[in-house]
């Protein structure tokens, strides 16, 4: 039986970001990440498929949190508002890990393979939102549209949060992106 290393994912994540910050993403290798974490390369591959995944492994947890918040939302709330409020449930993590999340965003902006992986994770987020909305009885075509708009709001809010030098909380950027989208819809309609 294989013994699991305590907090291995978190240790690999901290080691990877430390090395990414020191020597850059491209120059960092899996053996270096493992050594920095005080674990083996073999253990690394028990948790991650490659070094890119170190930056994306939390996405699944965030999707579950967001889907659970959508499931718990009050009846009568517009689905897009429901989604935006669900995003706010992840804000404490994002704000609480500001240095790592900002470094992650900078790396994604500058590496095509990370941009590709980010798009894949955004697609999975939209699919999780879509399913959560359908489970609330929202018809599939509408839930899919809301989910895609929601994923776009997530992306815009995260980009604005990253660029915000005043360090306002992520939840305020989610609400600002939602408000801007809604205002834009009314302008187009009016």
């Amino acid at each position: 039986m294989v013994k699991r290393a305590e907090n291995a994912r978190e240790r690999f994540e901290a080691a990877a970001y430390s090395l990414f910050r020191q020597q850059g993403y491209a120059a960092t290798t899996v053996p270096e990440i493992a050594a920095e974490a005080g674990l083996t390369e073999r253990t690394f591959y028990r948790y991650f498929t490659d070094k890119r995944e170190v930056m994306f492994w939390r996405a699944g947890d965030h999707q579950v949190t967001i889907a659970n918040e959508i499931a718990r939302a009050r009846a009568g709330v517009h689905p897009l508002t429901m989604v935006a409020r669900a995003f706010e449930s992840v804000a404490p993590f994002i704000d609480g890990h500001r240095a790592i999340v900002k470094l992650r965003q900078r790396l994604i902006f500058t590496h095509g393979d990370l941009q590709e992986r980010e798009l894949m994770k955004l697609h999975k987020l939209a699919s999780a939102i879509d399913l959560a909305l359908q489970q609330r009885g929202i018809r599939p075509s509408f839930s899919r549209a809301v989910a895609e708009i929601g994923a776009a709001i997530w992306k815009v809010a995260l980009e604005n949060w990253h660029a915000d030098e005043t360090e306002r909380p992520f939840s305020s950027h989610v609400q600002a992106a939602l408000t801007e989208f809604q205002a834009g819809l009314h302008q187009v309609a009016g």
Side-chain angles (χ1 to χ4, degrees):
M1 184 169 160
V2 176
K3 184 179 176 190
R4 296 280 187 199
E6 190 172 334
N7 299 322
R9 277 194 172 99
E10 291 83 357
R11 289 168 62 185
F12 283 127
E13 179 183 54
Y17 280 115
S18 175
L19 291 168
F20 295 160
R21 190 177 289 111
Q22 291 169 31
Q23 60 194 37
Y25 170 77
T28 300
T29 65
V30 169
E32 290 171 325
I33 294 169
E36 181 79 10
L39 297 166
T40 65
E41 187 176 346
R42 187 175 183 173
T43 303
F44 178 91
Y45 286 113
R46 282 191 198 118
Y47 293 94
F48 302 106
T49 56
D50 56 29
K51 75 176 180 181
R52 290 179 301 179
E53 196 58 29
V54 173
M55 298 172 61
F56 295 97
W57 72 275
R58 291 184 186 270
D61 292 343
H62 294 330
Q63 287 170 19
V64 168
T65 300
I66 290 165
N68 288 341
E69 287 298 315
I70 291 169
R72 284 194 288 267
R74 270 185 317 111
V77 174
H78 188 280
L80 193 54
T81 301
M82 215 181 281
V83 170
R85 287 180 184 158
F87 290 162
E88 292 175 12
S89 67
V90 182
F93 175 85
I94 292 172
D95 293 331
H97 295 83
R98 187 173 294 273
I100 285 176
V101 177
K102 283 196 170 218
L103 174 58
R104 177 187 181 275
Q105 292 307 109
R106 274 195 307 279
L107 293 172
I108 289 170
F109 293 150
T110 57
H111 291 84
D113 62 326
L114 298 177
Q115 291 168 14
E116 187 176 307
R117 185 72 60 103
E118 177 78 342
L119 287 173
M120 184 179 76
K121 295 298 182 175
L122 279 171
H123 174 72
K124 287 183 176 184
L125 173 62
S127 295
I129 292 166
D130 180 28
L131 179 60
L133 291 172
Q134 285 185 47
Q135 288 173 341
R136 288 188 61 99
I138 296 169
R139 67 184 187 286
S141 58
F142 184 58
S143 69
R144 187 69 194 156
V146 169
E148 292 295 335
I149 293 165
I153 287 172
W154 170 274
K155 185 176 185 284
V156 168
L158 195 55
E159 288 171 357
N160 291 344
W161 174 90
H162 176 261
D164 182 4
E165 293 180 10
T166 65
E167 298 191 351
R168 287 186 339 214
F170 179 65
S171 60
S172 69
H173 289 286
V174 169
Q175 284 307 312
L178 175 63
T179 300
E180 189 173 350
F181 173 76
Q182 290 169 329
L185 265 183
H186 291 355
Q187 276 183 337
V188 170

